[in-house]
Amino acid sequence: MNSVFPICAVNLVVVAALTASVEARFIAPEPESAANQPQHANAVRVKIADAFWAPRREVNRKVSLQHGLDMLDKFGNIADLELAAAGKREGFKGPVYIDSDMYKCIESASMSLGAYPDAQLEARVDGIIAKIAAAQRPDGYLNTWYEVNAPDKRFSNLRDHHELYCAGHLFEAAVAHKLATGKTTLLDVATKYADLLCDTFGDGPGKRAGYCGHPEIELALVKLADETGRAKYTDLATYFINARGSHFFATEHATPKDQYNGEYWLDSVPVREQTCPNGHAVRFGYLMSACVDIGAARQDDSLLKMARRVWRNTAERNTYLTGGIGPSAGNEGFTHDYDLPNLSAYQETCASVAMAMWNHRMNVALGDSVYADCVETALYNGILSGVSLDGTRFFYVNPLASMGNHHRSEWFGCACCPPNVMRTLASLGDYAYSVRGRDLWVNLYVQGQVATTIDSHELGFDVTTDYPWDGEVSFATTADTNARATVHFRVPGWCEGAGIELNGQRVDKPEVVKGYIVIDREWKKGDRVALSLPMPVRRVEANPNLAENRGRLAIARGPLVYCVEGADIDAPFWSFAVPADAALTTSRRPDLLGGVVTIQGTAVVAQQPEWTGTLYRTSSKPRSVGFTAIPYYAWDNRSPGPMQVWLPSSPPPPRITGPESSAKVGVSYLSNIANPEGIHDGAEPGNSAEQPAALCHWWPHKGGTEWVGYTWSMPVTLGSARVYWFDDTGRGECRVPKSWRLLFKEGDEWKPVDATGPFPVAKDRWCEVTFKPVKTTELRLEVSMQDQWSAGVHEWKVELHADN
């Protein structure tokens, strides 16, 4: 039987785009120096043995990693290495950046080997590394696309061809492989290539200008420098950061400087002048990560100041509730502040990974829990949703609403996301703790063990918790020797009323610094800390500037964001609402979706339209129906169906509608982010730029002709129609059409209506046409789109003729 716990008080949390609240330390204009802040967690030994992450990491190790390595064969990565090693000039398969996917798979496998030795997996990795080494040129160069397709044109298109991006992922894989296995086979390849790059790029004599259109190599060079002790790698990373914004790509592509817009490649302004997120979301996150790395490594507070300034804008105005960034499919990135649509959300899985990487570095550099809050949100929501529970299918795009036609895939032609999820799960322990000097920061609560060395003394804890389902966490010291140390226990931003006990005694007024409860003592074996983090269900309200979510609330509990799927409510999916005062309960469901805590409540459902004789009217008497919400990460793991995170808090008002409301809708083309049903829902838009959850459009089809049609079960006599066009100028690729017309079906033939005037095309108003009455069961709106643009329709109303 499911255990049900009534929620005594449901918290209402107001957010901008993210769940973190704004505090005084959050808005300080100047960053603290990184000199006395925590270092990376490689000095901490972590074992994960909980009921939440450990099973997922086991699936990652046994299923996803093997699946990923199989996909390298299927999609041509291994064959491309063999072609390059053999000096072939044809037969290459895949995009120009295909090597990077292979390197991330090797990095993931290496991280897994570090925690779980596996002779068979290690042998498979070693075999691929041997092929990589064979493909490397004598001078150190390594990129299979150029070696096979254009060996004489290396570094000729740094903006678009990802050579340095691929090199960066090679370097990260090499460091991970060395740390996990002690072998230098891949590290030797990486340093040989890195030496070539140091000799090629920079400000010195005989060196050339340039940097990569996709940041990644910068953070990788810092990792490589840390592992090898070769400061020249950090020097090169610093050069790339300092040079960015010089508009090198305009020179590279012979673009006049007055016509150049480098925003997509984060090349519009020098890095230190950056004020807000822009361009491609993943590139942005990787660039910010590198800036923090270099700022910390070189004590460059100007980079840290910029990173903190840009972070605030990102967190307050451009981050999804689920921890990801990048709303637009058009540029895989940013548009304008508070543009965070639900159904058309892009929120690439890699962008959520990039947010975790950047925020982890900010947390390590500045020691503030607000950054760890962001890491946690991304890990439990926007990243974890990127892989199916069985580990074989992956999301590239992570919307916050779905019509039921968005699903995970086994792999992608651009397969950046699957191995990014794999390496994140494999390296989870690195995010959990950080240490500097005699201070240990606890950033994530995961059952298992943690150990580190403080002033030559061992400090370790056994950690016991059922987090994220329960907020009780206990720490028991394990080391035989005493260690004087300061331990910082994070209080999550979502938590109110946290409590802590030390050796059975409640600490009434604990010291709290930057969101951490701080305990400074000489730790002895047998010491125990019990942390209590209350986890009531929270209703989350978006910033009112986020127009799409006005009148909507999301549900969260602990670090988890929840959603409702069609399988969990017996009602027309887009017609229900959850009142702000509705009682909510939780249930532990070990039988569902690998074991989850669900949230139940009662929704109200707007009644379906009723025929009045001449019009369809929606009843003003909604009915009640039960619903269940599940963690967002677990959606699309059952039968296909719709989903939404932001739930209306009241049912739609009664609407007077016409015969279109009883028609079935058909379209010439349906993408996974379009909802043609929105065309007859009676929701009149305020302007053409609005982007409701239910919207009929034909993007990414551009130019040409498309159509949407109505079909009735009985003939109707029609005499006029009006259309409200969708146009997202400034953020997307839909524009009002070039022209349109109406066709009705007579027998088996489609005929144009006999209009009494022109078919108007305009934004922000109804475009109406009357025509000679037609009696039909099907009517079609045919749209001729502008060249290079798509089109969409908010509402299409039709009117009965008086003779009906």
Side-chain angles (χ1 to χ4, degrees):
M1 177 178 291
N2 299 331
S3 54
V4 181
F5 307 93
I7 303 301
C8 298
V10 179
N11 294 345
L12 179 64
V13 181
V14 180
V15 300
L18 192 63
T19 52
S21 60
V22 178
E23 303 179 27
R25 69 179 191 278
F26 180 85
I27 60 175
E30 296 288 341
E32 295 186 36
S33 170
N36 297 311
Q37 298 306 324
Q39 64 192 17
H40 285 291
N42 54 15
V44 184
R45 302 177 297 282
V46 180
K47 180 179 179 181
I48 294 173
D50 69 338
F52 187 86
W53 288 112
R56 286 161 177 78
R57 282 161 53 88
E58 191 73 355
V59 170
N60 188 54
R61 179 174 75 92
K62 291 184 175 180
V63 179
S64 298
L65 287 175
Q66 299 296 336
H67 176 81
L69 295 175
D70 290 344
M71 292 297 103
L72 298 183
D73 280 318
K74 180 176 179 178
F75 279 75
N77 297 73
I78 305 303
D80 290 340
L81 284 174
E82 294 168 346
L83 290 173
K88 301 295 184 181
R89 296 293 177 264
E90 59 183 9
F92 188 91
K93 183 179 179 180
V96 69
Y97 42 75
I98 193 172
D99 289 354
S100 64
D101 304 331
M102 172 179 58
Y103 296 142
K104 277 186 284 187
C105 284
I106 292 174
E107 182 186 6
S108 305
S110 298
M111 290 172 169
S112 180
L113 288 171
Y116 308 101
D118 182 327
Q120 185 176 2
L121 177 60
E122 185 171 355
R124 191 171 184 184
V125 169
D126 287 345
I128 298 173
I129 291 174
K131 292 180 183 291
I132 292 171
Q136 188 171 33
R137 297 299 89 201
D139 66 350
Y141 183 81
L142 179 56
N143 183 284
T144 61
W145 190 94
Y146 270 96
E147 290 179 51
V148 175
N149 295 313
D152 58 336
K153 295 183 178 180
R154 61 168 73 169
F155 305 134
S156 62
N157 188 352
L158 295 177
R159 188 188 72 181
D160 303 321
H161 280 192
H162 292 67
E163 284 163 283
L164 300 181
Y165 168 81
C166 291
H169 280 301
L170 166 65
F171 300 164
E172 288 200 87
V175 171
H177 185 253
K178 166 62 165 54
L179 291 173
T181 68
K183 299 176 182 178
T184 64
T185 47
L186 191 57
L187 189 68
D188 292 341
V189 172
T191 54
K192 188 175 182 179
Y193 193 6
D195 290 342
L196 172 66
L197 297 179
C198 288
D199 292 340
T200 302
F201 293 96
D203 293 320
K207 296 186 179 182
R208 56 158 294 178
Y211 37 89
C212 190
H214 195 312
E216 149 66 21
I217 191 171
E218 300 86 354
L219 67 89
L221 282 166
V222 176
K223 280 189 179 182
L224 194 61
D226 287 346
E227 178 58 28
T228 63
R230 300 179 188 179
K232 67 178 183 179
Y233 298 153
T234 303
D235 292 342
L236 181 58
T238 304
Y239 162 77
F240 286 144
I241 290 295
N242 291 339
R244 185 171 291 276
S246 64
H247 299 181
F248 166 77
F249 300 140
T251 302
E252 183 183 65
H253 291 266
T255 302
K257 291 292 182 72
D258 61 350
Q259 299 176 23
Y260 177 68
N261 182 350
E263 185 173 280
Y264 176 79
W265 306 282
L266 297 137
D267 189 40
S268 55
V269 298
V271 166
R272 288 169 182 79
E273 297 177 17
Q274 192 92 12
T275 59
C276 62
N278 56 26
H280 187 280
V282 182
R283 302 175 196 220
F284 163 79
Y286 286 179
L287 178 63
M288 292 298 105
S289 297
C291 288
V292 178
D293 281 345
I294 295 169
R298 293 294 167 88
Q299 296 298 297
D300 186 342
D301 282 350
S302 66
L303 283 175
L304 296 177
K305 178 180 178 180
M306 177 279 300
R308 191 168 184 173
R309 177 178 67 239
V310 174
W311 179 87
R312 182 184 174 192
N313 183 287
T314 306
E316 286 185 355
R317 305 180 181 191
N318 291 282
T319 303
Y320 278 100
L321 182 66
T322 46
I325 53 176
S328 172
N331 65 347
E332 294 189 315
F334 300 98
T335 52
H336 56 82
D337 288 349
Y338 301 109
D339 181 26
L340 295 168
N342 298 320
L343 191 69
S344 63
Y346 201 69
Q347 196 187 198
E348 182 181 338
T349 301
C350 284
S352 295
V353 171
M355 277 293 281
M357 291 168 57
W358 177 27
N359 279 279
H360 173 60
R361 285 162 166 81
M362 294 288 283
N363 176 254
V364 167
L366 301 174
D368 198 314
S369 70
V370 293
Y371 306 117
D373 287 344
C374 295
V375 173
E376 182 180 71
T377 299
L379 284 171
Y380 280 95
N381 300 284
I383 294 173
L384 194 54
S385 65
V387 60
S388 61
L389 295 177
D390 66 6
T392 64
R393 303 184 73 79
F394 305 88
F395 275 146
Y396 197 106
V397 174
N398 294 268
L400 274 71
S402 169
M403 297 305 301
N405 53 358
H406 183 75
H407 307 297
R408 296 177 180 88
S409 300
E410 70 165 7
W411 207 246
F412 306 93
C414 175
C416 50
C417 294
N420 237 348
V421 174
M422 294 177 204
R423 68 174 180 156
T424 302
L425 290 173
S427 63
L428 184 68
D430 292 346
Y431 292 95
Y433 302 91
S434 53
V435 65
R436 179 180 292 277
R438 53 187 296 274
D439 290 71
L440 173 69
W441 281 261
V442 183
N443 299 315
L444 300 175
Y445 295 108
V446 183
Q447 181 167 290
Q449 291 83 43
V450 57
T452 190
T453 302
I454 304 288
D455 292 339
S456 301
H457 296 284
E458 189 77 4
L459 175 66
F461 293 97
D462 280 336
V463 184
T464 304
T465 184
D466 196 23
Y467 199 93
W469 310 124
D470 184 271
E472 303 300 314
V473 192
S474 68
F475 297 81
T477 55
T478 57
D480 291 327
T481 58
N482 297 348
R484 183 79 190 188
T486 304
V487 182
H488 306 246
F489 298 92
R490 171 175 154 262
V491 178
W494 49 260
C495 179
E496 295 183 5
I500 193 166
E501 293 182 357
L502 176 61
N503 294 329
Q505 298 296 312
R506 180 175 178 83
V507 181
D508 290 328
K509 294 182 178 180
E511 181 184 5
V512 180
V513 179
K514 294 185 176 181
Y516 290 88
I517 294 176
V518 178
I519 298 181
D520 181 12
R521 63 182 278 108
E522 184 176 282
W523 296 91
K524 304 177 180 66
K525 187 173 183 178
D527 281 346
R528 292 183 176 274
V529 173
L531 186 65
S532 180
L533 304 172
M535 283 188 179
V537 176
R538 309 188 309 281
R539 287 187 173 89
V540 185
E541 181 180 7
N543 186 297
N545 287 311
L546 212 170
E548 182 167 335
N549 289 334
R550 291 173 191 160
R552 294 175 178 268
L553 297 174
I555 298 173
R557 181 176 182 270
L560 296 170
V561 174
Y562 279 69
C563 66
V564 176
E565 286 193 287
D568 296 315
I569 186 167
D570 185 17
F573 191 74
W574 301 103
S575 65
F576 78 89
V578 180
D581 60 353
L584 300 175
T585 59
T586 61
S587 297
R588 191 66 181 261
R589 292 287 305 275
D591 60 319
L592 180 67
L593 297 167
V596 296
V597 168
T598 61
I599 297 173
Q600 297 79 41
T602 299
V604 293
V605 182
Q607 299 286 48
Q608 294 301 298
E610 298 174 347
W611 179 245
T612 66
T614 57
L615 292 173
Y616 290 86
R617 183 189 298 273
T618 304
S619 171
S620 61
K621 297 178 180 179
R623 62 184 176 90
S624 298
V625 63
F627 76 91
T628 296
I630 64 168
Y632 173 79
Y633 74 78
W635 83 276
D636 194 46
N637 277 284
R638 297 176 289 177
S639 57
M643 177 278 297
Q644 56 181 329
V645 169
W646 290 97
L647 309 174
S649 54
S650 60
R655 294 169 181 160
I656 302 296
T657 56
E660 69 277 353
S661 64
S662 64
K664 293 183 179 179
V665 180
V667 288
S668 55
Y669 169 74
L670 177 62
S671 73
N672 61 5
I673 60 171
N675 179 4
E677 293 297 326
I679 203 171
H680 68 161
D681 62 6
E684 185 163 337
N687 57 65
S688 292
E690 286 186 3
Q691 190 155 346
L695 179 66
C696 176
H697 63 79
W698 295 278
W699 189 88
H701 284 195
K702 301 174 187 177
T705 301
E706 301 288 350
W707 58 263
V708 58
Y710 287 149
T711 300
W712 291 271
S713 58
M714 298 287 289
V716 292
T717 302
L718 306 171
S720 67
R722 51 185 180 143
V723 180
Y724 206 110
W725 300 108
F726 171 65
D727 188 303
D728 59 0
T729 297
R731 70 173 189 276
E733 297 181 324
C734 286
R735 301 293 184 269
V736 295
K738 182 165 50 179
S739 63
W740 60 289
R741 64 175 184 160
L742 296 171
L743 300 98
F744 69 99
K745 197 169 188 180
E746 187 174 78
D748 294 328
E749 184 179 358
W750 285 100
K751 296 181 177 181
V753 300
D754 185 3
T756 59
F759 290 82
V761 176
K763 291 198 299 184
D764 303 328
R765 67 176 179 84
W766 287 100
C767 296
E768 187 168 1
V769 64
T770 59
F771 47 85
K772 183 178 178 180
V774 297
K775 188 174 184 178
T776 186
T777 58
E778 294 188 58
L779 188 69
R780 182 173 289 181
L781 168 61
E782 187 179 89
V783 174
S784 293
M785 299 185 289
Q786 297 185 49
D787 294 340
Q788 307 303 316
W789 299 107
S790 189
V793 182
H794 277 289
E795 290 287 318
W796 173 28
K797 294 182 179 293
V798 295
E799 300 291 341
L800 294 169
H801 189 265
D803 294 338
N804 193 69

